[in-house]
Amino acid sequence: MTLLKNIAQTVQQVAEAISYAIGIEVEIVDKELTVIGGTGLYAEKLGQKEEFGELEGNFLYARVLRTGQTAVVEEAQKDLLYDHLAVDGETKELAEICTPIKVGQKIIGIIGLVAFEKKQQIHLIQKQESMVSFVERMADLLAAKATQNQFLRQVEKTKNEMITILETIHEGMLAVNGQGYVTCCNAIAKNLLKRSRTEIIGKHLSIVMPNTLALEIMKTGKGYTEEEEIIKFENKSYRFIVTAKPIQEEEKTSGIVISFRDVAEAEKLAYNINQRKIKYTFDDIIGESDRITKVKNQALQVARGSSTVLITGESGTGKELFARAVHYASVRQNGPFISVNCGAIPDTLLESELFGYENGAFTGAKNKGKVGKFELADGGTIFLDEVGDLPLHLQVKLLHVLQNRCFERIGGNKTIFVDVRVIAATNKNLEEMIAQNHYREDLYYRLSVIPLKIPSLRERPEDIPLLMTHFLKKYNDFMEKDIEGFSERVKEIYRIYDWPGNVRELENAVEYGVNMTFTNEIQIEAVPPRVRKSDNNLDMNIPNISLQEQVKEFEKEILIKKIAKYGDSKDGKLAISKELNISRATLYRKLAEYRISRS
């Protein structure tokens, strides 16, 4: 919309005022040749185009728009370039003064003073100088009004943008004037303060946020960032993280902007952001054996619901990996995934870790309390690893949470309701523990609504090569190496080894091999000692190969050890050739044949 269209009402009022003052009809068009204001005949043409809207035409208005100069037409009916109607002999106008409306160097429209009667024509010509001066002042008036309107519209737009920003951010925002009264607040602020806008705006900051540190800013002029504050109001306490900045005007503090958020929500957000960096899906679970494929399919089916899941399996089978995959395949995937290792936290601290505590709940507690893992997991999933290590008194509380989806913090009396899916895991036999009175039977049945048993690595040996390749690529990338694979001897060792530590132990073995290998292939000497010593009859299990191949394999292993000992410098190779009693030429040939290098 053009600047004149934005002030169309004012334009019409100016046109009528000019016409009334000088007794001549007035037409005002914008830069697109649209009639915005007019009197007499022109009042009926509002919204229509003059000169067919042809801005590149040669008629009067188009020329003035291009030149930016006032034009005077004394004999309109004789001027073929006055108006298109003059060409057809239909022109009724006798004379006209036409002046541009300018904003800076930009032309935004035209004012035309038009004579339709002989008397008006004579008056227009005789008073031409004063008429031009008058209409140019009117043009300046309209330009000023258009500029002001444009500015106000921009201010309104900026204001609306700021309001949108304030209502979009996830923090409470308050604006305070120089006298300490709140002038603005967003929706988050009123929700956090548990008050309406009318109870906040216009009230002094000392009433809205009693004892806040921000009250000192008007005196000191110094703001602060991320300070934890306890705001007490009507016998209630609110814990906020507050940032307050002064508004400086002529080196004086003229106001304050305060942003704040709930401590519990901030802790939740920080934890969730950190946890979302570790996002797994079922595609991250390596294996194509029937056993692992069956469990993955079961877990994918389980992910669609919200029932409690108990994952069992030996240590190192990937129980947490399955738990994360279930979470990120569920409708809760955008919520938090909170992992707690119940076996790694002392019994005295585990309850506060799970359920949090209030201010001064026990000796050594934080002054401002703590949010528990169940609160952090609200709207998402909590993974309780090593749940078999829970002490009996916590088993009772966990059972209560599973049944009622609520709890109280230590030292608190407020019931906290949570929407949390529980996935538990253990490598212990809970049924045996129940028989020995070490585990509650009712809790076991609550946890094992949907049981998932993860197979051990020895139960799916066909997945070992896939896992070896996967971990080799991982540690090649991590250590910037280019190891191509494993020798046949190492493959066989890994195939027959029992892997009591399962996938975790296999990964550690591959990482060890990548660290200890200086060739393009992981050899026997780069196998962890515990794995090498696992089978005294290992040599009897090596696949049938010719004597010549076995000799080459043995020779290669010797050279690798010597390179590791002496290095592959010129002096190192000289020492190796002397120790093995072979020429340097033979040594170089064999190193090249076996592609052995320390780098």
Side-chain angles (χ1 to χ4, degrees):
M1 186 174 288
T2 63
L3 293 179
L4 291 181
K5 280 183 182 178
N6 289 333
I7 57 168
Q9 185 176 358
T10 300
V11 170
Q12 180 60 28
Q13 289 172 349
V14 169
E16 291 172 357
I18 295 172
S19 180
Y20 180 80
I22 63 177
I24 293 178
E25 303 301 341
V26 178
E27 181 180 32
I28 303 176
V29 301
D30 65 10
K31 65 179 183 178
E32 296 174 351
L33 295 176
T34 302
V35 180
I36 306 298
T39 61
L41 175 68
Y42 302 115
E44 301 172 4
K45 298 176 68 175
L46 295 179
Q48 298 179 23
K49 295 285 187 182
E50 284 287 14
E51 300 178 3
F52 303 111
E54 295 178 357
L55 298 176
E56 299 302 320
N58 291 318
F59 294 119
L60 178 63
Y61 286 178
R63 294 201 311 272
V64 172
L65 282 177
R66 289 198 298 272
T67 64
Q69 300 295 321
T70 297
V72 178
V73 179
E74 296 182 356
E75 296 287 345
Q77 293 182 345
K78 296 179 180 180
D79 189 346
L80 296 180
L81 294 179
Y82 171 71
D83 185 78
H84 68 280
L85 295 176
V87 178
D88 301 327
E90 298 180 17
T91 300
K92 296 180 181 179
E93 293 91 332
L94 299 178
E96 181 170 353
I97 294 176
C98 177
T99 194
I101 305 169
K102 298 180 182 179
V103 173
Q105 298 301 313
K106 183 179 178 182
I107 301 171
I108 64 170
I110 290 171
I111 300 178
L113 305 182
V114 188
F116 281 88
E117 299 173 359
K118 192 68 178 177
K119 183 179 178 182
Q120 292 176 331
Q121 180 184 20
I122 294 171
H123 182 65
L124 197 67
I125 295 170
Q126 289 178 345
K127 301 289 184 178
Q128 183 179 138
E129 186 176 342
S130 61
M131 288 282 189
V132 168
S133 178
F134 175 71
V135 76
E136 285 179 347
R137 288 186 180 183
M138 293 298 101
D140 291 341
L141 174 66
L142 280 177
K145 185 66 178 179
T147 302
Q148 180 189 46
N149 180 263
Q150 184 184 32
F151 175 75
L152 292 175
R153 289 170 71 90
Q154 186 60 44
V155 169
E156 186 68 20
K157 179 184 177 184
T158 303
K159 176 186 173 183
N160 291 335
E161 288 175 350
M162 291 302 299
I163 291 174
T164 302
I165 291 171
L166 288 174
E167 296 299 338
T168 301
I169 61 176
H170 296 286
E171 292 187 355
M173 297 292 295
L174 296 178
V176 182
N177 66 18
Q179 289 71 48
Y181 290 90
V182 179
T183 59
C184 178
C185 83
N186 66 353
I188 298 294
K190 70 181 184 65
N191 291 339
L192 287 173
L193 294 169
K194 303 290 192 298
R195 277 169 272 178
S196 66
R197 276 194 170 91
T198 55
E199 294 175 298
I200 297 173
I201 295 175
K203 302 297 189 297
H204 198 272
L205 182 60
S206 60
I207 297 174
V208 176
M209 295 181 74
N211 64 282
T212 176
L213 299 175
L215 289 166
E216 295 297 314
I217 293 180
M218 297 304 298
K219 300 176 184 177
T220 65
K222 295 180 180 179
Y224 56 89
T225 303
E226 302 287 322
E227 288 287 345
E228 187 171 342
E229 297 183 9
I230 297 178
I231 305 298
K232 296 181 179 179
F233 182 77
E234 294 184 349
N235 298 320
K236 293 181 181 179
S237 295
Y238 304 95
R239 289 175 62 215
F240 298 135
I241 293 176
V242 183
T243 295
K245 298 294 181 183
I247 301 171
Q248 299 291 349
E249 187 175 331
E250 296 181 356
E251 299 183 357
K252 292 183 180 180
T253 302
S254 61
I256 309 169
V257 175
I258 302 172
S259 66
F260 58 102
R261 60 189 185 278
D262 182 72
V263 168
E265 291 300 318
E267 290 177 348
K268 234 186 246 190
L269 177 63
Y271 193 94
N272 293 346
I273 290 173
N274 184 55
Q275 286 296 307
R276 282 173 186 163
K277 294 177 183 176
I278 314 172
K279 183 175 181 178
Y280 291 104
T281 68
F282 288 106
D283 292 334
D284 295 305
I285 301 173
I286 308 301
E288 297 177 356
S289 63
D290 290 342
R291 282 179 174 271
I292 198 68
T293 299
K294 181 179 178 180
V295 178
K296 285 165 69 173
N297 290 337
Q298 289 175 340
L300 184 59
Q301 181 70 25
V302 166
R304 297 170 183 167
S306 292
S307 299
T308 304
V309 180
L310 178 62
I311 303 175
T312 57
E314 296 179 9
S315 178
T317 49
K319 295 186 288 295
E320 181 168 351
L321 187 59
F322 265 90
R324 288 183 180 275
V326 167
H327 170 73
Y328 287 110
S330 73
V331 294
R332 296 172 177 266
Q333 60 182 285
N334 293 322
F337 177 90
I338 307 298
S339 178
V340 184
N341 190 323
C342 301
I345 303 172
D347 292 354
T348 53
L349 299 177
L350 186 55
E351 183 175 4
S352 64
E353 189 70 18
L354 289 173
F355 305 109
Y357 57 81
E358 294 294 349
N359 176 24
F362 53 85
T363 303
K366 290 182 181 179
N367 291 335
K368 297 172 181 176
K370 180 183 177 181
V371 177
K373 292 296 192 288
F374 266 93
E375 281 182 77
L376 291 175
D378 189 28
T381 302
I382 187 167
F383 174 58
L384 303 177
D385 199 7
E386 306 298 347
V387 75
D389 292 335
L390 276 176
L392 284 170
H393 75 281
L394 279 185
Q395 292 180 28
V396 176
K397 191 161 185 177
L398 177 59
L399 177 63
H400 174 79
V401 175
L402 291 174
Q403 289 175 330
N404 302 298
R405 301 295 171 180
C406 64
F407 59 90
E408 294 177 359
R409 290 182 181 176
I410 298 174
N413 53 19
K414 176 185 175 183
T415 300
I416 299 172
F417 290 87
V418 289
D419 173 24
V420 175
R421 182 181 197 175
V422 176
I423 301 178
T426 183
N427 59 5
K428 294 185 176 181
N429 189 324
L430 297 184
E431 293 181 353
E432 285 185 5
M433 293 179 67
I434 291 170
Q436 297 168 2
N437 294 322
H438 292 157
Y439 212 82
R440 292 184 63 97
E441 186 174 15
D442 47 5
L443 175 60
Y444 170 70
Y445 289 124
R446 274 288 179 182
L447 289 173
S448 60
V449 174
I450 300 178
L452 282 178
K453 173 74 166 61
I454 312 302
S456 64
L457 196 52
R458 62 182 169 276
E459 293 177 290
R460 53 183 186 113
E462 58 267 51
D463 289 331
I464 291 175
L466 290 174
L467 289 162
M468 290 169 66
T469 301
H470 172 74
F471 293 133
L472 177 60
K473 182 181 184 306
K474 174 181 175 179
Y475 290 105
N476 262 338
D477 293 342
F478 181 70
M479 299 180 195
E480 296 183 351
K481 289 195 171 186
D482 193 25
I483 300 171
E484 295 177 2
F486 304 82
S487 70
E488 291 300 323
R489 185 181 178 91
V490 172
K491 290 178 183 177
E492 184 61 16
I493 291 173
Y494 281 12
R495 185 187 67 80
I496 66 173
Y497 181 59
D498 198 39
W499 299 111
N502 292 288
V503 178
R504 184 185 296 121
E505 184 182 8
L506 175 59
E507 179 175 0
N508 292 342
V510 174
E511 183 180 2
Y512 176 89
V514 174
N515 275 286
M516 302 303 294
T517 296
F518 306 110
T519 68
N520 68 321
E521 191 175 72
I522 293 178
Q523 302 288 337
I524 181 66
E525 70 280 350
V527 173
R530 68 180 182 279
V531 179
R532 260 186 288 174
K533 295 176 181 178
S534 64
D535 189 347
N536 293 327
N537 298 316
L538 183 61
D539 290 336
M540 297 175 61
N541 294 294
I542 298 175
N544 293 327
I545 58 175
S546 68
L547 176 61
Q548 183 181 9
E549 290 296 323
Q550 291 189 51
V551 170
K552 282 186 175 182
E553 188 77 19
F554 185 63
E555 186 177 61
K556 183 177 181 179
E557 289 177 13
I558 291 173
L559 291 174
I560 289 172
K561 289 178 180 177
K562 297 304 179 186
I563 286 290
K565 179 179 179 182
Y566 293 107
D568 59 357
S569 66
K570 183 177 180 182
D571 291 340
K573 290 172 182 174
L574 178 60
I576 294 171
S577 64
K578 287 182 178 179
E579 185 173 313
L580 296 179
N581 195 25
I582 59 176
S583 69
R584 276 189 290 174
T586 301
L587 175 62
Y588 280 111
R589 178 174 56 79
K590 288 186 176 293
L591 290 176
E593 178 184 350
Y594 296 130
R595 298 172 66 186
I596 298 173
S597 172
R598 189 165 189 168
S599 58

